[in-house]
Amino acid sequence: MLYQVVKFAATPLANVMCRPHISGGSNVPRTGGAILAANHLSMIDSFLLPALLPRHVTFAAKSEYFSGNPVSQWFMRLGGSLPTDRDSAHAAQAMLDAAADLLERGELFGIHPEGTRSPDGRLYRGKIGVAWLALRTGKPVLPVALSGTEKVMPVGAKVPRPAKIGITIGEPMRFEGDYRSARDRRRVTDDIMSAIQKLSGQEYVAQYAASLKAAS
């Protein structure tokens, strides 16, 4: 109920502030579980997609978003996001298990395979959690390309700013393989990232964004 109340208020605000252009919205199934795998340009990404899509979407978000900046706390909690401790393998697996439960119940789950925001607008190597979910549950993956969201909430910004954004949703992708196989998880993740890159037009970097951030 809280999610619906917040969505009722947030959707008009998001439309006015972001003037979104949404392409491929018909690829989102009306019912049943599916994974939305999106590129990651801004903290606000995992708030805008649930606000602008007709169905309830639960996103994974790093645990730091739930503390510190009160704006990010508000977005994440009202958006129903699942907190993820990126430094704890146990916590990350617990989040994936919770996401699998959501998918099995026929809900939509959103994830940013890059694991962190792009530091420079390029698309970085995906982490294998998205593939684990796809292979473990058998649910389809919808590649999603976001654009312009980094202008709505630039790094360091305290409040969102008006800016036009784009959302392109690709056709559902289904995969076969063993979720316990590292090779299968890597193959599926790379296929998903390739689909996102084709939609977004971003330059692809075969490196984890988190590694680049740590090095700098």
Side-chain angles (χ1 to χ4, degrees):
M1 178 64 72
L2 177 59
Y3 180 95
Q4 294 302 325
V5 171
V6 173
K7 184 176 176 65
F8 180 79
T11 298
L13 178 61
N15 276 295
V16 170
M17 285 195 64
C18 302
R19 296 166 290 149
H21 178 268
I22 302 176
S23 176
S26 61
N27 289 325
V28 179
R30 294 186 178 182
T31 61
I35 302 164
L36 299 175
N39 59 338
H40 198 10
L41 300 172
S42 170
M43 178 274 289
I44 206 170
D45 292 342
S46 51
F47 175 78
L48 286 175
L49 274 174
L52 294 170
L53 294 182
R55 287 187 60 189
H56 186 155
V57 184
T58 299
F59 254 89
K62 66 178 183 178
S63 56
E64 290 92 330
Y65 285 163
F66 292 81
S67 60
N69 186 334
V71 175
S72 67
Q73 290 184 53
W74 188 83
F75 281 141
M76 295 305 110
R77 295 187 187 282
L78 294 186
S81 298
L82 292 177
T84 305
D85 184 350
R86 295 182 301 183
D87 296 325
S88 168
H90 177 75
Q93 186 59 52
M95 182 279 292
L96 289 174
D97 289 338
D101 288 342
L102 287 171
L103 290 165
E104 296 291 3
R105 294 201 302 267
E107 298 184 32
L108 297 180
F109 179 73
I111 188 169
H112 297 294
E114 291 168 278
T116 187
R117 288 174 295 184
S118 171
D120 53 17
R122 295 185 293 176
L123 184 69
Y124 283 80
R125 194 180 196 210
K127 296 190 174 182
I128 59 174
V130 63
W132 186 93
L133 278 176
L135 295 173
R136 178 69 178 82
T137 66
K139 302 301 181 182
V141 177
L142 279 65
V144 179
L146 300 166
S147 62
T149 59
E150 74 283 5
K151 298 175 183 176
V152 177
M153 198 78 173
V155 175
K158 299 299 183 182
V159 295
R161 305 170 183 178
K164 187 174 178 60
I165 70 165
I167 300 173
T168 303
I169 303 170
E171 295 183 358
M173 305 172 70
R174 290 187 178 273
F175 300 97
E176 295 183 356
D178 187 344
Y179 72 93
R180 294 162 294 194
S181 165
R183 178 175 295 180
D184 284 350
R185 294 195 303 268
R186 186 72 260 163
R187 168 181 56 82
V188 169
T189 301
D190 288 345
D191 286 349
I192 292 169
M193 299 309 294
S194 177
I196 295 172
Q197 191 279 327
K198 289 178 181 177
L199 293 175
S200 70
Q202 292 169 277
E203 178 185 347
Y204 179 73
V205 182
Q207 177 184 358
Y208 293 119
S211 298
L212 182 66
K213 289 181 178 181
S216 59

